[in-house]
Amino acid sequence: MRDSSISFDSSEQHLPWYQTSIRKILEQLQVDPQLGLDQETAQQRLLVHGTNEIQEGKGRSQWKILLDQFQDIMLLMLIVVAIVSGVLDFTDLRNGGFESGSFPFKDTIAILAIVVINGVLGFVQESRAEKALAALKKMSSPKVRVLRDGRIQEIDGKMVVPGDIVFVEAGSQLCADGVLLEAANLQIRESALTGEATPVVKEVNVGGFTTEKSLGDRLNMVFTGTEVLKGRGKFVVTATAMATELGNIATMLQGVESEDTPLQKRMAQLGNVLVTGSIVIVVLVVVIGCWQVGNLSRLKELIEVSLSMAVAVVPEGLPAVITVTLAIGTQRMVKRNALIRKLPAVETLGSVDTICSDKTGTLTQNKMVVQEVETLDHAFRVTGNGYAPAGDFIRRGEAIAPQSDAALQQLLLGCLLCNDANLSQQEKEWQVIGDPTEGALLALAAKGHPHYTEMPKQWQRLGEFPFSSERKRMSVIGRNPQDTEGDEFVYELFCKGSPEIILARCLQYQTNSGIQKLEEGDRREILQRNEHLAQRGLRVLGFGYRRLAEIPTSQDDDTAEKDMVWLGLVGMLDAPRPEVRDAVVKCKAAGIRPIIITGDHPFTAKAIAQNLGIADANTKSLTGIELEKLSQPELETIVGDVSVYARVSPEHKLRIVQALQTNGRFVAMTGDGVNDAPALKKADIGIAMGITGTDVSKEASDMVLLDDNFTTIVAATEEGRVVFTNIRHFIQYILGSNVGEVLTIAAAPLLALPTVPLSPLQILWMNLVTDGVPALALAVEPAEPDVMERRPFSPQESIFARGLGFYIVRVGIVFAIITISLMMIAFNYPELGIDADSWKTMVFTTLCLSQMGHAIAARSRTRLTLELDFFRNPYLIWAVLGTTLLQLALIYIAPLRNFFETQLLTMTQLAICLGFSTLMFVWVELEKLLIRWFFSKRQQK
Ligand code: ATP
């Protein structure tokens, strides 16, 4: 075992890493470049150097978070109300206006207490939200491919230690500093570190630089926090965590963002409207009141009325309920494998009406098995299971020895060499580390080459042109070990990729007996066979090769990858995910249009789309080439009809999103590659793949699919709708009651009643306890069964749309009618013996109890309470029971009675309150019946 306590502090070195030769670096870091570190050494180094995490900047201080809470305009208004109420009490006290036993400054203290509690609650929520986001960020921390114990393994980025050998490719985000051991067209964006946006081309420098270089010029090094835009590389880690360059400058890594959701923004606006409205009401009440009497004698009374109204208008409990609902939404989504990165997505997911999905891995299983190989001379069926390197090649019904066919042999060699994946057997099952497409090709090659693990070592890899979604191909250049020294063409380039592209770059083809010229007829036949395989839903790759006299440079891909010899087609099955079919049905019922956008062949895409129900035989499809010929306005006119986009590149995705959005669509789009980032950012909901996605795509997304599955998008959309529906439910519930309170208070002076029916303290009690607690329970209401059968909510649609605003006003009026009737009866029938104090308590109790009935009925806007499973939301039952008992406690427990200025009610009076309260429940249920009747009539017409 190596000495693990070795310190890699740069102060112990003579030269910085970038000036040191690779040999020395490996020596210093005590690592074998062929084997990597062993597990034990890595563990010990982890103890010495700690986990590889950048400690982020402090962000907002706790004090700042607390102070921010008191900037809410509604809370500021409450503070003003508290002060005015305090001044009134103070003058009363000075004038001896307080009765013995009564409690001066009660309203002031209560209101200020509410302000403080609200502030503290907000503070706790925000601190919790920050913690939750930090936890989410940890979950989305990148995975890294490292060489350990001679095997390539995938580990958590934070477990990387100095001396580890790490592999990176386009889309990787660097999580450690290191010196490059290999670089194939490696281009890295270092803007996070240097501020320079243009990518830096990195290269290996065996001896190290001889002169001093600034950070941006250390071309043989890679740094934490930067991103690979192109190519592939391998480096040895020299620094992790806070010892990295990024750690040194202690820049905060861009992470999960916490933003206000559209709803939170709208609620802030609502706050402004309510506060302005209440100021207007206060002024009106005072001015009209004084004008009626002609002097200021009623001023104090009018101010009291106004204060009560101001308190009644503010929905004190609402912000807390909204925060809780969104938090619960993210948790529910994570349980269904959707990780939310930006909070607004929780709510806006419910508005999605178009889902643009990749095919490979999202709609299909991404478990590839090669089924067919076709050279121009022969077709072979391939047997075997999964990625196991065992199976036969069947030609015309008989197993053949693959060595007997020269073209097949060369094609299998291409599969083996033009490949970056590895196969490993874990608990008897063969698994791929790397790209599943390449894993399948490796398994195929292994079936034809008994010594398949030896071949890549004998064929030294001397150059490569990596794969990208734009190029749709990749090549490697190796030296044939059997070539003799005198040969001119000692290097061979193997190229694989989309068959049309590879074929266009071939002039000849390989047969069993030699190389032949490719005639037009041959090309047609190859393309026909390609289409034939694609129509079966197979993913098809084409292969070619050529011999070279020199190793091309990394910029020469276009000239090197041409004049090739065609080898053949490989068709692999990537079966559709069975569960997606149901998800597609669900989507369509929910008014959501699924669209496939894939880099694959149009026939393969269409076959899969038809299999899953996304398209039928008549559905329009469009290829990347066709799309390029269309102007943006032309694309906008047809985008509504096309459900399959094939052979597209990432920049096409951006155009598609834009066209859909111009058509008023609210688009969720998936992406995994580094170049998908702009489309993901542009989409209303950008969705990255948790397993196969690059770090860059995750960084740009709003949501990450932990299982890469289309079904998860639909599940998240459903949860988004539940969140939105529940928010609407409790808003209608809370604001309906507020309107009722205001109208009740306003009615008192109009009916010439002697005093204000509700004190500010009682109103606060209602808004926070009797409204707030059941509202919280409504927030956790499970999904209604038809939530995915309604049309989606457009984000432009106001939260009060679809009748909600009207409902609030209507319910408010019903509340007021109930309480005003109660007041009228109490006054007009003195034989009932209800004195002034008792009827005030009755109004207060009736309002609170009506809200209980309202809460039960508000669970659904369309279905009767009797039709709902009563026990599905046990929280609501507890909330209603608990709040009713608390309300009774305010009347029947003496100290509380004194404090809240209520009156002991007789059983008859309580029964009257109960009777009036049930009217609210009855009304809401009757409304549902009326709405149903109205809609059925309309449908009949
Ligand atoms: P999707 O966009 O649905 O994920 P895809 O994997 O086919 O589908 P890309 O990754 O953009 O999309 O690949 C485009 C095409 O490039 C593929 O259809 C295939 O022909 C070719 N291709 C894919 N992977 C490789 C690879 N590792 N090497 C060479 N060519 C590849």
Side-chain angles (χ1 to χ4, degrees), residues 92-104:
D92 270 0
L93 202 62
R94 275 217 351 215
N95 301 337
F98 267 98
E99 295 159 19
S100 65
S102 62
F103 197 139

Side-chain angles (χ1 to χ4, degrees), residues 42-215:
Q43 278 305 320
Q44 305 224 0
R45 287 191 186 180
L46 195 64
L47 290 179
V48 177
H49 297 273
T51 50
N52 179 28
E53 284 168 300
I54 299 279
Q55 276 135 37
E56 294 183 3
K58 282 242 160 53
R60 270 192 311 166
S61 76
Q62 299 281 311
W63 277 113
K64 176 92 178 70
I65 298 181
L66 187 62
L67 281 180
D68 281 353
Q69 307 303 318
F70 297 98
Q71 288 180 5
D72 179 67
I73 183 143
M74 294 198 272
L75 284 192
L76 290 178
M77 188 176 85
L78 283 182
I79 294 174
V80 173
V81 171
I83 294 171
V84 176
S85 167
V87 172
L88 287 182
D89 278 7
F90 183 71
T91 42
D92 270 0
L93 202 62
R94 275 217 351 215
N95 301 337
F98 267 98
E99 295 159 19
S100 65
S102 62
F103 197 139
F105 303 116
K106 195 165 43 189
D107 289 341
T108 310
I109 295 170
I111 296 171
L112 288 181
I114 297 304
V115 170
V116 171
I117 291 171
N118 236 314
V120 171
L121 269 182
F123 168 75
V124 172
Q125 283 299 343
E126 270 201 40
S127 310
R128 271 228 205 132
E130 295 213 343
K131 274 195 199 131
L133 286 175
L136 289 181
K137 194 171 155 189
K138 262 195 192 148
M139 283 176 79
S140 54
S141 94
K143 293 257 184 276
V144 180
R145 280 201 303 151
V146 295
L147 183 69
R148 284 201 184 161
D149 288 321
R151 275 192 311 124
I152 298 180
Q153 309 175 15
E154 208 163 64
I155 62 167
D156 233 358
K158 61 176 190 278
M159 306 312 271
V160 170
V161 292
D164 259 328
I165 291 179
V166 177
F167 298 83
V168 289
E169 61 204 357
S172 306
Q173 199 165 52
L174 276 299
C175 69
D177 288 4
V179 174
L180 283 167
L181 304 178
E182 277 177 32
N185 193 13
L186 185 65
Q187 295 186 20
I188 295 191
R189 180 161 55 204
E190 297 190 331
S191 51
L193 205 58
T194 60
E196 182 51 64
T198 32
V200 184
V201 179
K202 294 282 176 176
E203 55 198 33
V204 177
N205 188 334
V206 180
F209 286 105
T210 48
T211 52
E212 267 187 39
K213 300 266 178 205
S214 65
L215 206 59

Side-chain angles (χ1 to χ4, degrees), residues 254-295:
Q254 208 196 14
V256 178
E257 288 166 33
S258 94
E259 292 168 31
D260 276 353
T261 72
L263 179 68
Q264 285 171 322
K265 286 181 197 152
R266 277 190 217 146
M267 283 298 125
Q269 285 165 359
L270 177 74
N272 291 341
V273 172
L274 290 180
V275 169
T276 321
S278 60
I279 291 172
V280 172
I281 294 177
V282 167
V283 173
L284 279 180
V285 168
V286 173
V287 172
I288 296 176
C290 291
W291 178 69
Q292 270 178 347
V293 205
N295 57 43

Side-chain angles (χ1 to χ4, degrees), residues 820-836:
I820 292 168
S821 325
L822 183 72
M823 291 194 259
M824 302 295 287
I825 291 172
F827 273 90
N828 293 329
Y829 296 93
E831 58 272 26
L832 287 174
I834 306 174
D835 61 37

Side-chain angles (χ1 to χ4, degrees), residues 358-360 435 437-438 467 469 472-474 496-499 539-541 597-601 647-648 672:
D358 279 351
K359 172 183 70 70
T360 314
D435 180 359
T437 303
E438 299 195 340
F467 171 76
S469 292
K472 295 189 174 48
R473 63 182 190 273
M474 82 170 264
K496 73 175 196 298
S498 133
R539 178 175 175 79
V540 193
L541 290 194
I597 304 185
T598 176
D600 216 333
H601 192 282
R647 287 282 187 243
V648 292
D672 48 11

Side-chain angles (χ1 to χ4, degrees), residues 687-709:
I687 304 171
M689 300 294 138
I691 303 170
T692 56
T694 54
D695 306 335
V696 176
S697 63
K698 288 182 196 165
E699 203 62 46
S701 66
D702 301 291
M703 178 172 112
V704 177
L705 298 184
L706 296 177
D707 57 358
D708 288 12
N709 193 335

